[in-house]
Amino acid sequence: MAELANLATGDGAARTAARAKRPLVRRDMLVAALFVLPGLALAILFKLVPLVRTIWLSLQETRGFEDPSFAGLANYRTMLDDPAVHDSFRNALIAFATLPVWIVLPLVLAFLLFQKTPGWKFFRAAFFLPYMIAPIVVGIMFRQILAPDGPLNALLRTIGLAPLAIEWLNGPTSALLSLTAVALWSFFGLGVLTYLSGLSTVSEEVVEAAKLDGAGFWRLLFHIIMPLLKPVIGYWAVLCTSGILIWMFPLIYALTKGGPGTATVLPEFLVFTTTFQFLDRGLGAAIGMALFLFVALVSAFVVRRMYVEGAKPK
Amino acid sequence: MMKPTPSRTGGRAVRGMLAGLALASATALGGLTAQAQDVTTIRVLNWEPGGADYWKALVAEFEKQNPTIKVELETVPFDRYPEVQGPYITTKSGPDVMENNAGLELFDRRRAYAELPPEVLEAGKDLITYSGGCLNFDTTQPCYGLPFGYQGNVMYYNKKVLTEAGLDAANPPKTWDEMKIACDKVKAIGKTCVAIGLSGIFPAYWNFPEIARNYLTEDDMRAMLAGKMPWTDPKMVNILKGLASITEAGWTNSSAPSITMLPDGADIFQSGNAAFAGTIISDAVNWAAFGKILGDENLGAMRWPTIVADAPLADSFSGIESSVFGVTEWSDKKDAAFQFVKFMAGKENAELLSKVAGGISLNKNVDPSALPKSEALGQILEIIKKPTLHAGVLLSGQEADALARGWQEVALGRLTVEDWTARMQKALEQSPSKRQ
């Protein structure tokens, strides 16, 4: 009986303790919720609501600025039939195909800086400088530089490379590649900086040991540095993917306006012109949704290939 | 009787000071509030037609005449205007007064504008025309804005370049055949014949109307406005062929497909590297701006050479009220905003336009002696005497875009006129404002 009484007393004590703990758990949850809620509210307000509104707008027929009417999937059908839309997504894929250059070029430069190549302090600042210039200014600048009679072609002619002095912004492929190259010029400084921060975690002994084993620059880069920097490379790849697909607008706007023809029209530019220049908000929203899905798929692919695999421990 | 202690005296003094301060602050704040209530600030979205000096003078004059209204300008470059204005209209918020090109551009956006009340429309009676601010160019229908200047297309020529090329600068080409001969000679001296930029909306506004006059009648243009003139119509196809012939003949700068006329194309002409440039009579890149750089004595203005000499509108001027200013539907300062619109159409502004910007006003009461002396201006004043509709402002956004992009590709030899026609037709069918 006494044991039973003790047990009862013990149970009672445990229950009391549990009761005492319960409010604490609730308080923890409350604090957690307080931390999460603002972010959640912002995400709902500025991400989910606009997304739902865009989906709804893409199902509307809009005549200029008149009130829209429900049109079902008509805008999506129009979009699928529109050659300009096809061109824009084809251009996006071509631009995306340059991703390896976006990844490797800053890495090579960062590794050169890391190795304290002569003039590395100057180049560290110089490489980052283009990133500090507003993209719209970069676009205006390169419109002059890449003109048929502009400084780049003048330089090429002067140094005896006249055959290379092409009309950079007039050709269907050269215009898109010029645009992408200008974007890369504007963006790569950030990549160099990102890689440098990653390289600062690489042990000098590892590099020295590899050098003693006879590893040259490229072997060091590809067999030692790249595996060690895989998570950083993954992060940079995701950043570049979004840069190529959804951050090119100011450059397109200032440099080519999407021309000649549709050679440099990317989907984001088409969303803007369709919505605000053609006043077809419904169709603009439909193209925007297609772009959203496209970027989501491509980003998922890049994250899977570059980031997740890169982050796996060996 | 107990004497007040020093501390109490001090406390009372402090309280007194605080009360006085509060009273003074309240009075001052009240005064400020009263002053703030008295002055209404209106925001005017514009692309600064006529230039910065003119707008500075315009605002100063308006504020002098209306001391209770303050004008805040939001100035956007012309070729970027639609992209800035679009979001304002979509979100139904922003400026109190907005500028738009007369015609379809304004009609497309009419939901963003308040209908002009009769007392404001009264100011329109002093203008040569204001129909471009009214629905379907009809002043009996609702009007959404009032114009102030006259606008339209001419071709400028550099006499120095023509002379250098062995041409008679006093007799510039009048027909397409003469133009061909002139361009061959200009090219022979290593210069561009016609400075042009095919990017943006300039081909639609500055080039298309000048070729269209060779093939269309005014009724055809009205049919275009109503969306009843298909691009497959032989007349429309001929216009595209006419445009294509300019670039196919090699008259233009090689950078044409990838540059805009303003500023790039105009720069080529201003730098003295081109013989001709097709631009406008007022606002930017007009006779005054070119004359200032090239020298008035080197500048001439002419009608675009005709392709079809006996076309009914071949010798006409594609004229249009320049831009119009209207009051936004969402503005809560409509009275002050309407006052500004009325001022824009008034005589005082007209005189400023002529004196400061060298513009050509629509107001009938302007003293002709107020106009600056210039040979090119004299030629323009002759050209504009025979006006017709401006076909460019009848194009929808889709058509204007397809026209420019198509022309770029035709110029580069990557698109046939037939395919360009098909694209134009598709653009027409996709134009919300022209859907039947």
Side-chain angles (χ1 to χ4, degrees), chain A residues 61 63-67 78 83 143 148 167 169-170 172 253 256-261 269 272 276-281, chain B residues 80 83 86-87 89-90 108-111 199 254-255 257-258 264 397-398 401 405 408-409 412 414 426 430 432 435:
Chain A
E61 190 199 358
R63 290 171 67 96
F65 290 105
E66 290 176 18
D67 291 332
T78 306
R143 201 171 60 185
E167 293 182 354
L169 298 176
N170 275 356
Y253 196 75
T256 62
K257 286 204 183 321
F269 189 75
F272 196 74
F276 296 121
Q277 206 171 311
F278 305 164
L279 312 179
D280 201 339
R281 288 175 292 150
Chain B
R80 286 165 196 168
E83 286 86 352
I89 299 178
T90 312
D108 262 355
R109 291 156 175 77
R110 63 183 179 277
R111 283 208 154 209
S199 199
S254 59
S255 56
S258 55
D264 307 329
Q398 280 87 344
D401 187 74
R405 293 191 192 283
Q408 290 161 18
E409 292 197 63
L412 292 168
R414 297 207 300 265
K426 194 170 175 70
Q430 285 183 345
R435 276 181 210 155

Short mmCIF file of all heavy atoms in Angstrom, two decimals, chain A residues 61 63-67 78 83 143 148 167 169-170 172 253 256-261 269 272 276-281, chain B residues 80 83 86-87 89-90 108-111 199 254-255 257-258 264 397-398 401 405 408-409 412 414 426 430 432 435:
data_model
loop_
_atom_site.label_atom_id
_atom_site.label_comp_id
_atom_site.label_asym_id
_atom_site.label_seq_id
_atom_site.Cartn_x
_atom_site.Cartn_y
_atom_site.Cartn_z
N GLU A 61 -9.25 38.13 -69.86
CA GLU A 61 -9.00 38.85 -71.11
C GLU A 61 -8.98 40.34 -70.76
O GLU A 61 -9.90 40.85 -70.12
CB GLU A 61 -10.11 38.58 -72.13
CG GLU A 61 -9.72 39.14 -73.49
CD GLU A 61 -10.88 39.34 -74.44
OE1 GLU A 61 -12.03 39.03 -74.08
OE2 GLU A 61 -10.63 39.86 -75.53
N ARG A 63 -8.60 44.22 -72.22
CA ARG A 63 -8.60 45.12 -73.38
C ARG A 63 -8.06 46.46 -72.93
O ARG A 63 -8.79 47.25 -72.34
CB ARG A 63 -10.01 45.27 -73.94
CG ARG A 63 -10.54 44.02 -74.62
CD ARG A 63 -12.01 44.17 -74.95
NE ARG A 63 -12.23 45.18 -75.97
CZ ARG A 63 -12.36 44.92 -77.27
NH1 ARG A 63 -12.28 43.70 -77.70
NH2 ARG A 63 -12.57 45.89 -78.13
N GLY A 64 -6.79 46.67 -73.16
CA GLY A 64 -6.18 47.91 -72.72
C GLY A 64 -6.31 48.03 -71.21
O GLY A 64 -6.00 47.10 -70.48
N PHE A 65 -6.83 49.14 -70.76
CA PHE A 65 -6.99 49.34 -69.32
C PHE A 65 -8.44 49.17 -68.90
O PHE A 65 -8.83 49.59 -67.82
CB PHE A 65 -6.44 50.70 -68.92
CG PHE A 65 -4.95 50.77 -69.04
CD1 PHE A 65 -4.35 51.44 -70.08
CD2 PHE A 65 -4.15 50.11 -68.13
CE1 PHE A 65 -2.97 51.48 -70.21
CE2 PHE A 65 -2.77 50.14 -68.24
CZ PHE A 65 -2.18 50.83 -69.29
N GLU A 66 -9.25 48.57 -69.78
CA GLU A 66 -10.65 48.33 -69.41
C GLU A 66 -10.71 47.17 -68.42
O GLU A 66 -9.76 46.40 -68.29
CB GLU A 66 -11.47 48.02 -70.66
CG GLU A 66 -11.65 49.24 -71.54
CD GLU A 66 -12.37 48.92 -72.84
OE1 GLU A 66 -13.02 47.88 -72.93
OE2 GLU A 66 -12.24 49.75 -73.77
N ASP A 67 -11.88 47.04 -67.76
CA ASP A 67 -12.01 45.96 -66.78
C ASP A 67 -11.88 44.60 -67.47
O ASP A 67 -12.47 44.37 -68.52
CB ASP A 67 -13.36 46.07 -66.06
CG ASP A 67 -13.38 47.29 -65.16
OD1 ASP A 67 -12.29 47.69 -64.70
OD2 ASP A 67 -14.46 47.86 -64.95
N THR A 78 -2.93 31.64 -76.70
CA THR A 78 -2.30 32.71 -77.49
C THR A 78 -0.79 32.65 -77.31
O THR A 78 -0.02 32.77 -78.27
CB THR A 78 -2.81 34.09 -77.03
OG1 THR A 78 -4.23 34.07 -77.08
CG2 THR A 78 -2.28 35.22 -77.88
N PRO A 83 5.00 33.30 -81.89
CA PRO A 83 6.41 33.04 -82.19
C PRO A 83 7.35 33.86 -81.30
O PRO A 83 8.46 33.41 -80.99
CB PRO A 83 6.57 33.47 -83.65
CG PRO A 83 5.20 33.63 -84.19
CD PRO A 83 4.27 33.86 -83.04
N ARG A 143 26.43 49.95 -75.54
CA ARG A 143 25.77 50.28 -76.81
C ARG A 143 26.73 51.09 -77.68
O ARG A 143 26.78 50.94 -78.89
CB ARG A 143 24.49 51.07 -76.53
CG ARG A 143 23.51 51.02 -77.67
CD ARG A 143 22.21 51.61 -77.30
NE ARG A 143 22.32 53.02 -76.90
CZ ARG A 143 21.32 53.74 -76.43
NH1 ARG A 143 20.15 53.19 -76.26
NH2 ARG A 143 21.48 55.00 -76.10
N PRO A 148 28.93 49.40 -84.61
CA PRO A 148 29.80 48.98 -85.73
C PRO A 148 31.05 49.84 -85.87
O PRO A 148 32.12 49.34 -86.18
CB PRO A 148 28.88 49.14 -86.94
CG PRO A 148 27.51 48.99 -86.41
CD PRO A 148 27.54 49.55 -85.03
N GLU A 167 29.53 43.29 -86.67
CA GLU A 167 28.46 44.13 -86.11
C GLU A 167 27.85 43.37 -84.94
O GLU A 167 26.87 42.64 -85.08
CB GLU A 167 27.44 44.45 -87.21
CG GLU A 167 28.05 45.33 -88.28
CD GLU A 167 27.06 45.72 -89.37
OE1 GLU A 167 25.93 45.22 -89.38
OE2 GLU A 167 27.44 46.54 -90.21
N LEU A 169 25.97 43.87 -82.39
CA LEU A 169 24.57 43.91 -81.95
C LEU A 169 23.57 43.70 -83.09
O LEU A 169 22.37 43.78 -82.89
CB LEU A 169 24.28 45.24 -81.25
CG LEU A 169 25.09 45.49 -79.98
CD1 LEU A 169 24.81 46.86 -79.41
CD2 LEU A 169 24.80 44.42 -78.93
N ASN A 170 24.07 43.44 -84.29
CA ASN A 170 23.17 43.26 -85.43
C ASN A 170 22.88 41.79 -85.74
O ASN A 170 21.83 41.46 -86.28
CB ASN A 170 23.73 43.92 -86.68
CG ASN A 170 23.39 45.40 -86.75
OD1 ASN A 170 22.67 45.90 -85.89
ND2 ASN A 170 23.89 46.09 -87.74
N PRO A 172 21.92 37.83 -85.25
CA PRO A 172 20.97 37.17 -84.34
C PRO A 172 21.67 36.47 -83.19
O PRO A 172 21.23 36.54 -82.04
CB PRO A 172 20.24 36.18 -85.24
CG PRO A 172 21.08 36.02 -86.46
CD PRO A 172 21.90 37.26 -86.61
N TYR A 253 17.10 46.34 -71.92
CA TYR A 253 16.41 47.61 -72.12
C TYR A 253 17.35 48.69 -72.66
O TYR A 253 17.02 49.41 -73.59
CB TYR A 253 15.84 48.04 -70.76
CG TYR A 253 14.80 49.10 -70.87
CD1 TYR A 253 13.53 48.78 -71.32
CD2 TYR A 253 15.06 50.42 -70.53
CE1 TYR A 253 12.56 49.74 -71.43
CE2 TYR A 253 14.10 51.39 -70.64
CZ TYR A 253 12.85 51.04 -71.08
OH TYR A 253 11.89 52.00 -71.20
N THR A 256 19.74 46.70 -76.22
CA THR A 256 19.18 46.24 -77.51
C THR A 256 17.68 46.41 -77.65
O THR A 256 17.15 46.26 -78.73
CB THR A 256 19.47 44.73 -77.68
OG1 THR A 256 18.80 44.03 -76.63
CG2 THR A 256 20.94 44.42 -77.65
N LYS A 257 17.00 46.64 -76.57
CA LYS A 257 15.53 46.66 -76.55
C LYS A 257 14.96 45.36 -77.13
O LYS A 257 13.89 45.34 -77.74
CB LYS A 257 14.99 47.86 -77.32
CG LYS A 257 15.15 49.17 -76.57
CD LYS A 257 14.13 50.17 -77.04
CE LYS A 257 14.27 51.52 -76.40
NZ LYS A 257 14.61 51.57 -75.00
N GLY A 258 15.71 44.30 -77.01
CA GLY A 258 15.23 43.00 -77.47
C GLY A 258 15.58 42.70 -78.92
O GLY A 258 15.36 41.61 -79.40
N GLY A 259 16.11 43.68 -79.64
CA GLY A 259 16.37 43.51 -81.06
C GLY A 259 17.78 43.02 -81.34
O GLY A 259 18.55 42.78 -80.40
N PRO A 260 18.14 42.89 -82.62
CA PRO A 260 17.26 43.12 -83.77
C PRO A 260 16.19 42.02 -83.88
O PRO A 260 16.47 40.87 -83.57
CB PRO A 260 18.22 43.05 -84.96
CG PRO A 260 19.46 42.44 -84.47
CD PRO A 260 19.50 42.54 -82.99
N GLY A 261 15.01 42.41 -84.30
CA GLY A 261 13.88 41.49 -84.28
C GLY A 261 13.64 41.05 -82.85
O GLY A 261 13.51 41.89 -81.95
N PHE A 269 11.60 40.30 -70.46
CA PHE A 269 11.41 41.51 -71.25
C PHE A 269 10.06 41.46 -71.96
O PHE A 269 9.35 42.47 -72.06
CB PHE A 269 12.56 41.64 -72.27
CG PHE A 269 12.58 42.96 -73.00
CD1 PHE A 269 13.03 44.10 -72.36
CD2 PHE A 269 12.14 43.06 -74.30
CE1 PHE A 269 13.05 45.32 -73.01
CE2 PHE A 269 12.16 44.28 -74.97
CZ PHE A 269 12.62 45.41 -74.32
N PHE A 272 7.21 42.34 -69.71
CA PHE A 272 7.12 43.79 -69.49
C PHE A 272 6.49 44.50 -70.70
O PHE A 272 5.57 45.30 -70.54
CB PHE A 272 8.52 44.34 -69.21
CG PHE A 272 8.49 45.71 -68.62
CD1 PHE A 272 8.12 45.90 -67.30
CD2 PHE A 272 8.80 46.82 -69.38
CE1 PHE A 272 8.07 47.16 -66.75
CE2 PHE A 272 8.76 48.08 -68.85
CZ PHE A 272 8.39 48.26 -67.52
N PHE A 276 2.96 46.35 -70.31
CA PHE A 276 2.94 47.81 -70.20
C PHE A 276 3.01 48.55 -71.53
O PHE A 276 2.64 49.71 -71.61
CB PHE A 276 4.08 48.28 -69.29
CG PHE A 276 3.92 47.79 -67.88
CD1 PHE A 276 4.88 47.01 -67.29
CD2 PHE A 276 2.78 48.09 -67.16
CE1 PHE A 276 4.73 46.54 -65.99
CE2 PHE A 276 2.61 47.62 -65.87
CZ PHE A 276 3.59 46.85 -65.28
N GLN A 277 3.49 47.89 -72.57
CA GLN A 277 3.56 48.56 -73.87
C GLN A 277 2.37 48.16 -74.73
O GLN A 277 1.79 49.00 -75.41
CB GLN A 277 4.88 48.19 -74.55
CG GLN A 277 5.34 49.23 -75.54
CD GLN A 277 6.75 48.92 -76.00
OE1 GLN A 277 7.65 48.67 -75.20
NE2 GLN A 277 6.95 48.90 -77.29
N PHE A 278 2.02 46.87 -74.68
CA PHE A 278 0.89 46.41 -75.48
C PHE A 278 -0.42 46.45 -74.68
O PHE A 278 -1.48 46.19 -75.22
CB PHE A 278 1.11 44.97 -75.95
CG PHE A 278 2.39 44.74 -76.70
CD1 PHE A 278 2.87 43.47 -76.91
CD2 PHE A 278 3.11 45.81 -77.21
CE1 PHE A 278 4.05 43.25 -77.59
CE2 PHE A 278 4.30 45.61 -77.90
CZ PHE A 278 4.77 44.32 -78.08
N LEU A 279 -0.32 46.76 -73.41
CA LEU A 279 -1.48 46.86 -72.52
C LEU A 279 -2.28 45.56 -72.45
O LEU A 279 -3.48 45.59 -72.22
CB LEU A 279 -2.39 48.01 -72.96
CG LEU A 279 -1.71 49.35 -73.25
CD1 LEU A 279 -2.72 50.38 -73.68
CD2 LEU A 279 -0.96 49.84 -72.03
N ASP A 280 -1.63 44.43 -72.69
CA ASP A 280 -2.31 43.14 -72.60
C ASP A 280 -1.85 42.45 -71.31
O ASP A 280 -0.96 41.60 -71.32
CB ASP A 280 -1.99 42.30 -73.84
CG ASP A 280 -3.03 41.21 -74.07
OD1 ASP A 280 -3.71 40.85 -73.09
OD2 ASP A 280 -3.16 40.73 -75.20
N ARG A 281 -2.48 42.84 -70.22
CA ARG A 281 -2.03 42.36 -68.92
C ARG A 281 -2.26 40.86 -68.73
O ARG A 281 -1.50 40.17 -68.08
CB ARG A 281 -2.73 43.14 -67.81
CG ARG A 281 -2.24 44.58 -67.70
CD ARG A 281 -3.04 45.35 -66.69
NE ARG A 281 -4.40 45.56 -67.15
CZ ARG A 281 -5.45 45.68 -66.35
NH1 ARG A 281 -5.30 45.59 -65.05
NH2 ARG A 281 -6.65 45.87 -66.84
N ARG B 80 11.14 55.88 -73.03
CA ARG B 80 10.89 55.01 -71.87
C ARG B 80 9.58 55.35 -71.18
O ARG B 80 9.25 54.80 -70.14
CB ARG B 80 12.05 55.13 -70.87
CG ARG B 80 13.23 54.39 -71.43
CD ARG B 80 14.52 54.69 -70.78
NE ARG B 80 15.56 54.21 -71.69
CZ ARG B 80 16.81 54.49 -71.57
NH1 ARG B 80 17.22 55.24 -70.59
NH2 ARG B 80 17.68 54.03 -72.43
N GLU B 83 6.73 52.61 -70.41
CA GLU B 83 7.06 51.67 -69.36
C GLU B 83 6.90 52.27 -67.96
O GLU B 83 6.70 51.57 -66.99
CB GLU B 83 8.50 51.16 -69.53
CG GLU B 83 8.70 50.16 -70.66
CD GLU B 83 8.94 50.83 -72.00
OE1 GLU B 83 8.81 52.06 -72.08
OE2 GLU B 83 9.25 50.11 -72.96
N GLY B 86 2.79 52.96 -67.67
CA GLY B 86 1.97 51.75 -67.58
C GLY B 86 1.67 51.32 -66.15
O GLY B 86 0.49 51.16 -65.79
N PRO B 87 2.70 51.16 -65.31
CA PRO B 87 2.42 50.75 -63.94
C PRO B 87 1.53 51.74 -63.17
O PRO B 87 0.70 51.33 -62.36
CB PRO B 87 3.81 50.69 -63.29
CG PRO B 87 4.73 50.44 -64.44
CD PRO B 87 4.14 51.15 -65.60
N ILE B 89 -0.88 53.50 -64.43
CA ILE B 89 -2.26 53.30 -64.88
C ILE B 89 -2.80 51.97 -64.35
O ILE B 89 -3.94 51.90 -63.89
CB ILE B 89 -2.33 53.35 -66.42
CG1 ILE B 89 -1.86 54.72 -66.92
CG2 ILE B 89 -3.75 53.08 -66.90
CD1 ILE B 89 -1.83 54.89 -68.42
N THR B 90 -1.96 50.97 -64.37
CA THR B 90 -2.41 49.66 -63.89
C THR B 90 -2.80 49.72 -62.42
O THR B 90 -3.78 49.13 -62.00
CB THR B 90 -1.29 48.61 -64.09
OG1 THR B 90 -0.80 48.74 -65.42
CG2 THR B 90 -1.81 47.21 -63.90
N ASP B 108 -6.29 54.69 -76.01
CA ASP B 108 -6.02 53.42 -75.32
C ASP B 108 -6.03 53.58 -73.81
O ASP B 108 -6.38 52.67 -73.08
CB ASP B 108 -4.62 52.91 -75.72
CG ASP B 108 -4.68 51.87 -76.82
OD1 ASP B 108 -5.79 51.48 -77.19
OD2 ASP B 108 -3.61 51.47 -77.31
N ARG B 109 -5.59 54.75 -73.38
CA ARG B 109 -5.42 54.98 -71.94
C ARG B 109 -6.52 55.85 -71.35
O ARG B 109 -6.37 56.37 -70.25
CB ARG B 109 -4.05 55.65 -71.69
CG ARG B 109 -2.88 54.75 -71.97
CD ARG B 109 -1.63 55.51 -72.27
NE ARG B 109 -0.46 54.64 -72.43
CZ ARG B 109 -0.21 53.92 -73.51
NH1 ARG B 109 -1.03 53.97 -74.55
NH2 ARG B 109 0.86 53.14 -73.57
N ARG B 110 -7.61 56.00 -72.08
CA ARG B 110 -8.62 56.97 -71.64
C ARG B 110 -9.21 56.67 -70.28
O ARG B 110 -9.68 57.56 -69.59
CB ARG B 110 -9.71 57.13 -72.69
CG ARG B 110 -10.54 55.88 -72.95
CD ARG B 110 -11.54 56.16 -74.06
NE ARG B 110 -12.36 55.02 -74.38
CZ ARG B 110 -11.98 54.05 -75.21
NH1 ARG B 110 -10.81 54.10 -75.79
NH2 ARG B 110 -12.77 53.03 -75.47
N ARG B 111 -9.20 55.40 -69.88
CA ARG B 111 -9.75 55.06 -68.57
C ARG B 111 -8.92 55.68 -67.44
O ARG B 111 -9.38 55.77 -66.31
CB ARG B 111 -9.80 53.55 -68.39
CG ARG B 111 -10.95 52.96 -69.15
CD ARG B 111 -11.43 51.70 -68.51
NE ARG B 111 -12.82 51.47 -68.83
CZ ARG B 111 -13.66 50.83 -68.05
NH1 ARG B 111 -13.26 50.36 -66.89
NH2 ARG B 111 -14.91 50.65 -68.40
N SER B 199 15.17 50.96 -83.70
CA SER B 199 14.75 50.37 -82.44
C SER B 199 13.72 51.28 -81.76
O SER B 199 13.75 52.50 -81.95
CB SER B 199 15.99 50.23 -81.56
OG SER B 199 15.77 49.33 -80.54
N SER B 254 24.89 51.49 -90.98
CA SER B 254 24.84 50.03 -90.77
C SER B 254 24.34 49.66 -89.38
O SER B 254 23.85 48.56 -89.16
CB SER B 254 26.23 49.43 -91.00
OG SER B 254 27.15 50.01 -90.11
N SER B 255 24.44 50.60 -88.45
CA SER B 255 23.99 50.29 -87.09
C SER B 255 22.48 50.42 -86.94
O SER B 255 21.93 50.14 -85.86
CB SER B 255 24.67 51.25 -86.10
OG SER B 255 24.41 52.60 -86.47
N PRO B 257 19.71 48.74 -87.48
CA PRO B 257 18.84 47.75 -86.84
C PRO B 257 18.99 47.67 -85.32
O PRO B 257 18.11 47.15 -84.65
CB PRO B 257 19.27 46.43 -87.48
CG PRO B 257 19.94 46.81 -88.75
CD PRO B 257 20.60 48.11 -88.48
N SER B 258 20.10 48.15 -84.78
CA SER B 258 20.29 47.97 -83.34
C SER B 258 20.34 49.27 -82.55
O SER B 258 20.63 49.26 -81.36
CB SER B 258 21.56 47.15 -83.08
OG SER B 258 22.67 47.76 -83.69
N ASP B 264 20.63 57.99 -80.72
CA ASP B 264 21.73 57.51 -81.57
C ASP B 264 21.65 58.00 -83.02
O ASP B 264 22.64 58.50 -83.57
CB ASP B 264 21.78 55.97 -81.53
CG ASP B 264 21.84 55.44 -80.11
OD1 ASP B 264 22.40 56.14 -79.26
OD2 ASP B 264 21.33 54.35 -79.84
N GLY B 397 0.19 49.66 -79.88
CA GLY B 397 1.51 49.31 -79.33
C GLY B 397 2.07 48.07 -80.00
O GLY B 397 3.26 48.01 -80.33
N GLN B 398 1.20 47.07 -80.21
CA GLN B 398 1.65 45.82 -80.85
C GLN B 398 2.13 46.09 -82.27
O GLN B 398 3.16 45.56 -82.70
CB GLN B 398 0.49 44.81 -80.91
CG GLN B 398 0.24 44.07 -79.63
CD GLN B 398 -0.70 44.82 -78.70
OE1 GLN B 398 -0.94 46.02 -78.87
NE2 GLN B 398 -1.22 44.13 -77.73
N ASP B 401 5.46 47.97 -82.34
CA ASP B 401 6.57 47.10 -81.97
C ASP B 401 6.90 46.14 -83.12
O ASP B 401 8.07 45.97 -83.47
CB ASP B 401 6.19 46.30 -80.72
CG ASP B 401 7.35 45.50 -80.18
OD1 ASP B 401 8.25 46.12 -79.59
OD2 ASP B 401 7.37 44.27 -80.36
N ARG B 405 10.49 45.84 -85.11
CA ARG B 405 11.27 44.58 -85.09
C ARG B 405 11.33 43.95 -86.48
O ARG B 405 12.36 43.42 -86.88
CB ARG B 405 10.65 43.59 -84.09
CG ARG B 405 10.80 44.06 -82.67
CD ARG B 405 10.44 43.00 -81.65
NE ARG B 405 10.34 43.62 -80.33
CZ ARG B 405 11.40 43.97 -79.59
NH1 ARG B 405 12.61 43.73 -80.04
NH2 ARG B 405 11.24 44.55 -78.42
N GLN B 408 13.77 45.82 -88.62
CA GLN B 408 15.15 45.48 -88.24
C GLN B 408 15.59 44.20 -88.96
O GLN B 408 16.68 44.12 -89.53
CB GLN B 408 15.25 45.25 -86.73
CG GLN B 408 15.09 46.51 -85.89
CD GLN B 408 14.74 46.19 -84.44
OE1 GLN B 408 14.92 45.08 -83.97
NE2 GLN B 408 14.22 47.18 -83.72
N GLU B 409 14.70 43.21 -88.96
CA GLU B 409 15.07 41.92 -89.56
C GLU B 409 15.10 42.00 -91.08
O GLU B 409 15.93 41.36 -91.72
CB GLU B 409 14.10 40.84 -89.08
CG GLU B 409 14.27 40.55 -87.59
CD GLU B 409 13.64 39.25 -87.17
OE1 GLU B 409 14.08 38.20 -87.65
OE2 GLU B 409 12.69 39.31 -86.37
N LEU B 412 18.30 43.45 -92.11
CA LEU B 412 19.43 42.51 -91.99
C LEU B 412 19.29 41.33 -92.95
O LEU B 412 20.11 40.41 -92.93
CB LEU B 412 19.52 42.00 -90.55
CG LEU B 412 19.93 43.05 -89.50
CD1 LEU B 412 19.70 42.53 -88.09
CD2 LEU B 412 21.38 43.44 -89.69
N ARG B 414 16.95 39.06 -93.01
CA ARG B 414 16.52 37.82 -92.37
C ARG B 414 15.01 37.61 -92.41
O ARG B 414 14.49 36.64 -91.87
CB ARG B 414 16.99 37.81 -90.90
CG ARG B 414 18.48 37.84 -90.73
CD ARG B 414 18.88 37.21 -89.42
NE ARG B 414 18.28 37.90 -88.30
CZ ARG B 414 18.88 38.87 -87.61
NH1 ARG B 414 20.10 39.24 -87.95
NH2 ARG B 414 18.29 39.44 -86.59
N LYS B 426 -0.83 39.85 -87.54
CA LYS B 426 -1.00 39.19 -86.24
C LYS B 426 -1.00 40.23 -85.11
O LYS B 426 -1.79 40.15 -84.17
CB LYS B 426 0.14 38.18 -86.02
CG LYS B 426 -0.11 37.22 -84.89
CD LYS B 426 0.91 36.11 -84.87
CE LYS B 426 0.76 35.21 -83.68
NZ LYS B 426 -0.39 34.36 -83.66
N GLN B 430 -3.89 41.10 -82.40
CA GLN B 430 -3.64 41.00 -80.95
C GLN B 430 -3.77 42.35 -80.24
O GLN B 430 -3.55 42.42 -79.04
CB GLN B 430 -2.23 40.45 -80.72
CG GLN B 430 -2.13 38.96 -80.99
CD GLN B 430 -0.74 38.42 -80.69
OE1 GLN B 430 0.21 39.17 -80.54
NE2 GLN B 430 -0.63 37.11 -80.60
N PRO B 432 -5.45 44.98 -78.28
CA PRO B 432 -6.71 45.08 -77.53
C PRO B 432 -7.60 46.23 -78.02
O PRO B 432 -8.81 46.10 -78.09
CB PRO B 432 -6.25 45.32 -76.10
CG PRO B 432 -4.85 44.88 -76.05
CD PRO B 432 -4.29 45.07 -77.42
N ARG B 435 -9.37 45.26 -81.47
CA ARG B 435 -10.12 44.02 -81.66
C ARG B 435 -11.56 44.35 -81.99
O ARG B 435 -12.18 45.17 -81.34
CB ARG B 435 -10.08 43.16 -80.38
CG ARG B 435 -8.85 42.31 -80.30
CD ARG B 435 -8.86 41.48 -79.04
NE ARG B 435 -7.49 41.24 -78.60
CZ ARG B 435 -7.16 40.98 -77.34
NH1 ARG B 435 -8.07 40.93 -76.40
NH2 ARG B 435 -5.90 40.76 -77.02
#
